[in-house]
Amino acid sequence: MPEPDPDVPRVVRRQRRRDPEDPALIGIDRVAMAVFAAQFVVLLVVSWTVYRTFTISIDYGIFAQALSQIGSGNLLPESTLSDTAYLSSHFELIMWPIALLYPIFGTGFVLLVIQAAALAMVGYTTTAWSADHVRRSDLTTWWRRAIPIVVLVLMAINPIAYATAAQDFHFWALATCFAVLAARDLTAGRTRRMWIWVVLCLLCGDVAGVFIFGVGASAVLSSRATRRWGLALMAVGLGWVMFIAATGHNNASHVDLGYAYLADVPRLDDGAPGMLQLALGVVSDPATPISTVGERHVPILEYLAAGGGFGLFSPWGLGVPVVALLIAALQASPIFIHHPFQNFVVTPFIAFGTAWLATWLATRRSQTLRVLAAGTLVVAVVLGIGNAWRLVPSTFTRNGVAGLVTPEQTDALQTALEGIPDGAQVIASVPTIGRFAEHEWVFVLARGQLGGVREIPIEEEQVAVVIDRINALQLLSPAEQDAVVQELLTTGESEVLVDRDGVTAILWTPPPGQRTLEAGFPA
């Protein structure tokens, strides 16, 4: 007789022996596979639409540039779009193995495919996780079916997933996928496999460390069986975040400036001293963070409603969701709490937390609590459907960066893209710069950050300048755009690739000795 796995909590082993298979849950699992396979297709269509129509901006461009450079052999690329080494942005080491796909497919679209797959996988895993949880209970077949079905519905119509697919590319979706897989395996007692997901999650960057910390916090609160592992995960997650901060590889998180107001200083110190400044500031003046969160309650409630809402009152709603929402809501700029991709991680843990709470109520002896459990499921579905009804339609008409580019402008941008030779430097407008970023040297065409002239460095013999005359007026006025065009046409050698439908693209060979291109007028 085989020895029991010592890493599996005894309570889980007993429940496995008592109920190894449940026909009702097997049927739900098959339905979930079909539903989330269909969701993947929809997400892929959304991703292809924003990609094909050039409605994909600078964030995607940062990742596409890194993918193309690493995949072409430049293993330590600079991110010219964010003016830092790519590795120093978020320490997203997972880009290196992913970049092995670039020589095979030769396109940055592979990133959007991975993101769509991760979003759909989160939905399936969360549903399967809730089915695991009810399987380990003494509930009747009705409850065992109803609770996972509610989670399935919530995740299938989750507007945050569709908005994330429509808003460039980020590693948040992939990190969320690995975090949910880790949490599921932890609660099932599969701790050896859990650590595989934890490592993969951490490779997604500094923010992923926060997710693992949150999973650990929930595990500590959830049960004695998972408490020891939860403490270990909290230590690993916090240690990862602190390591990345101490080594200066979290430049894109904007911790030093984004949270400085909470410590009443212009800028936080680097590393651990800055974290201490922040902690002391929050403790000495708790009214400031409380009021900031209160002012931004509307998007917070939307993220909670997407998961059914009630999961916030469970151990699994008090870990990752609370930590993730506080990180986004307390940034000085409100843009972070309004970006769906940065808060997608909230929904699966709130949805599972809703299932956890309904299961807990339904297993009580009190009839009142069982009625309350049924009411929780009904209201959760109503919240999810209402939230999706309001938010999903906007995803299919515009994304979080800009309105969908017209067919005529799309065709003009495609003509410009096809006319740019390999090895050329690219200078392009936001928000349609994303697909032009698969070059070593890519810069944004914009005036200086504080207004005035910006000197864009010239690094190659040929420079392709792509001007979006419709969507980029906030970065360069029509007169400033015309001035750039005039300089390109009157200095050096130039070839107009396209000049129609709001797009002007010029392939320029600068005169000898010219090392910059000026954009903007003097302030």
Side-chain angles (χ1 to χ4, degrees):
M1 183 174 180
E3 291 294 323
D5 187 343
D7 286 335
V8 179
R10 271 185 245 163
V11 63
V12 175
R13 294 202 297 268
R14 287 198 301 269
Q15 288 159 346
R16 281 181 182 171
R17 288 195 298 268
R18 183 178 62 208
D19 189 12
E21 296 288 347
D22 187 325
L25 294 180
I26 292 175
I28 291 174
D29 186 69
R30 290 171 179 167
V31 171
M33 286 183 181
V35 167
F36 292 107
Q39 185 187 58
F40 169 65
V41 173
V42 174
L43 292 167
L44 207 55
V45 170
V46 172
S47 300
W48 174 248
T49 300
V50 297
Y51 180 84
R52 182 185 60 81
T53 59
F54 290 82
T55 314
I56 195 157
S57 192
I58 191 167
D59 284 5
Y60 169 84
I62 291 170
F63 292 106
Q65 184 184 35
L67 177 79
S68 64
Q69 288 302 295
I70 297 169
S72 301
N74 181 6
L75 298 183
L76 291 174
E78 289 291 317
S79 177
T80 56
L81 288 170
S82 56
D83 196 25
T84 185
Y86 170 73
L87 190 62
S88 297
S89 178
H90 281 293
F91 206 62
E92 292 152 326
L93 297 172
I94 201 164
M95 179 62 84
W96 273 256
I98 289 176
L100 295 173
L101 299 173
Y102 188 77
I104 300 172
F105 297 101
T107 172
F109 183 68
V110 69
L111 293 172
L112 300 182
V113 175
I114 290 171
Q115 179 172 258
L119 291 167
M121 187 64 183
V122 167
Y124 170 75
T125 304
T126 306
T127 303
W129 186 16
S130 67
D132 290 346
H133 187 66
V134 297
R135 181 183 289 114
R136 294 192 292 267
S137 71
D138 293 322
L139 293 175
T140 62
T141 299
W142 187 89
W143 287 107
R144 292 185 179 206
R145 288 176 175 169
I147 292 173
I149 287 174
V150 166
V151 174
L152 186 154
V153 170
L154 291 172
M155 297 306 296
I157 64 174
N158 177 15
I160 314 305
Y162 301 103
T164 298
Q167 192 175 22
D168 281 18
F169 171 84
H170 307 87
F171 276 121
W172 267 261
L174 194 57
T176 298
C177 181
F178 292 139
V180 173
L181 286 165
R184 182 192 179 193
D185 277 348
L186 172 60
T187 56
R190 297 186 289 264
T191 52
R192 290 190 181 94
R193 192 169 71 181
M194 173 198 75
W195 286 110
I196 297 175
W197 305 127
V198 169
V199 171
L200 289 172
C201 184
L202 294 177
L203 292 179
C204 294
D206 57 338
V207 177
V210 175
F211 295 173
I212 295 302
F213 176 87
V215 170
S218 291
V220 169
L221 296 172
S222 180
S223 71
R224 290 182 180 179
T226 57
R227 191 163 299 158
R228 176 168 60 95
W229 295 110
L231 291 171
L233 290 174
M234 290 178 70
V236 168
L238 182 61
W240 185 247
V241 173
M242 295 303 294
F243 166 75
I244 294 174
T247 56
H249 287 90
N250 65 340
N251 293 339
S253 292
H254 308 294
V255 174
D256 54 347
L257 296 175
Y259 301 101
Y261 77 99
L262 294 172
D264 196 25
V265 295
R267 184 172 189 158
L268 295 174
D269 294 336
D270 294 333
M275 295 299 99
L276 181 60
Q277 277 182 297
L278 180 59
L280 292 176
V282 171
V283 170
S284 62
D285 182 22
T288 297
I290 292 173
S291 64
T292 301
V293 172
E295 291 168 1
R296 299 168 182 179
H297 69 279
V298 173
I300 292 175
L301 292 177
E302 289 176 348
Y303 300 132
L304 296 175
F310 292 100
L312 184 63
F313 305 106
S314 74
W316 292 98
L318 294 175
V320 175
V322 169
V323 175
L325 288 172
L326 286 177
I327 287 174
L330 290 177
Q331 272 275 0
S333 172
I335 193 172
F336 293 91
I337 192 62
H338 287 285
H339 276 324
F341 74 87
Q342 291 191 302
N343 301 282
F344 170 69
V345 71
V346 172
T347 308
F349 286 95
I350 290 295
F352 176 76
T354 299
W356 187 97
L357 182 63
T359 302
W360 186 87
L361 291 171
T363 53
R364 303 303 98 181
R365 294 182 178 180
S366 169
Q367 184 64 27
T368 301
L369 292 180
R370 292 184 179 181
V371 171
L372 189 59
T376 297
L377 296 178
V378 171
V379 175
V381 171
V382 171
L383 284 174
I385 292 176
N387 200 46
W389 183 265
R390 289 189 309 104
L391 299 179
V392 167
S394 64
T395 298
F396 296 97
T397 55
R398 64 186 300 274
N399 70 7
V401 178
L404 288 175
V405 180
T406 64
E408 294 78 14
Q409 192 182 17
T410 294
D411 183 66
L413 288 166
Q414 184 65 38
T415 301
L417 181 65
E418 293 171 355
I420 299 174
D422 294 337
Q425 176 178 333
V426 175
I427 303 172
S429 302
V430 173
T432 48
I433 192 173
R435 287 188 61 190
F436 294 95
E438 294 177 34
H439 293 262
E440 183 177 3
W441 300 101
V442 186
F443 295 94
V444 173
L445 182 63
R447 67 176 72 90
Q449 289 185 353
L450 301 178
V453 177
R454 177 173 177 240
E455 294 187 346
I456 303 172
I458 303 300
E459 302 289 352
E460 297 286 358
E461 293 183 0
Q462 286 188 306
V463 181
V465 180
V466 184
I467 304 175
D468 181 344
R469 292 181 173 272
I470 297 175
N471 299 303
L473 299 181
Q474 73 277 17
L475 298 180
L476 214 61
S477 69
E480 290 171 323
Q481 293 174 356
D482 290 339
V484 170
V485 171
Q486 185 66 21
E487 179 176 356
L488 298 177
L489 294 178
T490 57
T491 63
E493 299 179 8
S494 60
E495 175 189 352
V496 178
L497 299 177
V498 64
D499 187 20
R500 58 181 172 84
D501 299 308
V503 177
T504 299
I506 299 173
L507 186 61
W508 179 52
T509 302
Q514 182 166 347
R515 304 311 305 160
T516 61
L517 174 66
E518 292 187 350
F521 293 149

